[in-house]
Amino acid sequence: MLDDEALAARPEGDTPASKVSLRRRARRWGRSVARVLVAHLGPVVLRRLSRTWKVTVLGAEHLEAARARGGGHFMALWHGRMVVALPHHGGRDWHVLVSPSQDGDISEALLKGFGYRVIRGSSSRGGARALREMLSVLESGAVLAVTPDGPRGPRHSMNPGLAWMARATGFAIVPCGFVCDRAWHARSWDRFTVPKPRARVMFVYSAPVRVERSASADDLASATEKVRAGMMEAEQRGFEQLQEPPDW
């Protein structure tokens, strides 16, 4: 039994170390199971589901414009729209920047199941190595997809990281909007979207954004907002074509 002094010293809501350890082990086990299920079942389920979707593409000319100076380009999409675009763009030797986190492990398993190549890194972890890989990929003419509000949000938020990468590499960013008229939404920060069977899906590409090598901090902030606005406008245009209200 705890005496009065021990009770007073014990933090409110304190949890015994054994329970904390048990919860951590349970979370790690849950993530391990999720990775296995996603890697083996995710691509199969999504391929079958996506065959029922009716896809319309708007702004494909912007993808060509992004290649005007040679090489590849960045594609910016919101984290919660990843599954919407996944089946259609798979198998094209495209690359995706994925955070070096446990959640990123699950994303990597799903992406590789669709034939994407994955670069692990962020501005805080593995940034220099990831930048070298990105530059090599872009110079080869490939596409590099980035979710600028991932891996933990807030939803539709952006920092200058993507604009900084565009300045460092010299390649353009194409803001993307991937939306549908009927979907399941996860109760997560990004409202992760999975189109339902027979959904109408819109892929909308906005005009590319370029960041000059001489760009200042203010220029990076301006470019960041321009990319964000392009992504939101692309989604808005997609919902207008579907004659549906945005699901934000």
Side-chain angles (χ1 to χ4, degrees):
M1 242 179 118
L2 295 172
D3 57 24
D4 290 342
E5 287 186 10
L7 284 171
R10 185 177 182 180
E12 186 178 353
D14 187 30
T15 303
S18 59
K19 289 186 179 180
V20 172
S21 178
L22 182 62
R23 289 175 184 172
R24 287 174 179 169
R25 287 198 298 270
R27 283 197 293 267
R28 286 196 294 267
W29 180 84
R31 290 192 182 100
S32 297
V33 171
R35 284 195 293 271
V36 172
L37 291 176
V38 167
H40 290 85
L41 298 180
V44 175
V45 173
L46 274 178
R47 279 195 185 93
R48 292 183 178 179
L49 186 60
S50 66
R51 287 177 189 142
T52 72
W53 300 344
K54 182 180 180 181
V55 176
T56 302
V57 178
L58 298 177
E61 68 276 9
H62 295 311
L63 300 180
E64 294 303 318
R67 297 177 182 271
R69 298 182 188 178
H73 61 269
F74 293 94
M75 290 182 66
L77 64 147
W78 297 125
H79 192 273
R81 304 301 195 192
M82 185 166 50
V83 163
V84 183
L86 203 58
H88 180 80
H89 297 91
R92 304 186 186 186
D93 192 30
W94 285 13
H95 296 67
V96 182
L97 182 64
V98 176
S99 69
S101 64
Q102 290 180 324
D103 290 340
D105 293 343
I106 298 175
S107 297
E108 180 177 9
L110 183 58
L111 287 161
K112 286 186 173 179
F114 276 93
Y116 292 89
R117 299 191 180 187
V118 173
I119 297 175
R120 301 298 295 268
S122 68
S123 58
S124 59
R125 294 173 59 190
R129 176 194 51 77
L131 184 61
R132 289 193 296 270
E133 287 188 54
M134 286 188 285
L135 184 57
S136 176
V137 164
L138 293 164
E139 287 178 340
S140 73
V143 172
L144 179 59
V146 179
T147 54
D149 60 341
R152 299 192 180 278
R155 188 186 189 195
H156 296 167
S157 66
M158 287 184 64
N159 60 43
L162 179 55
W164 179 86
M165 288 188 286
R167 181 183 67 177
T169 62
F171 293 96
I173 305 167
V174 177
C176 305
F178 302 125
V179 300
C180 58
D181 64 345
R182 40 187 287 145
W184 294 289
H185 295 281
R187 294 181 179 179
S188 53
W189 65 266
D190 59 356
R191 297 282 291 149
F192 204 77
T193 304
V194 180
K196 292 181 178 181
R198 296 178 296 281
R200 291 181 297 145
V201 177
M202 300 293 304
F203 296 159
V204 186
Y205 307 106
S206 291
V209 176
R210 297 186 182 275
V211 185
E212 298 300 326
R213 299 291 183 111
S214 59
S216 65
D218 288 342
D219 294 331
L220 290 180
S222 177
T224 297
E225 181 52 36
K226 189 173 182 179
V227 172
R228 183 186 181 279
M231 295 167 72
M232 299 304 294
E233 288 167 4
E235 290 211 346
Q236 180 69 49
R237 185 182 176 194
F239 281 117
E240 288 173 356
Q241 290 291 318
L242 293 171
Q243 298 183 333
E244 296 284 341
D247 60 1
W248 311 320

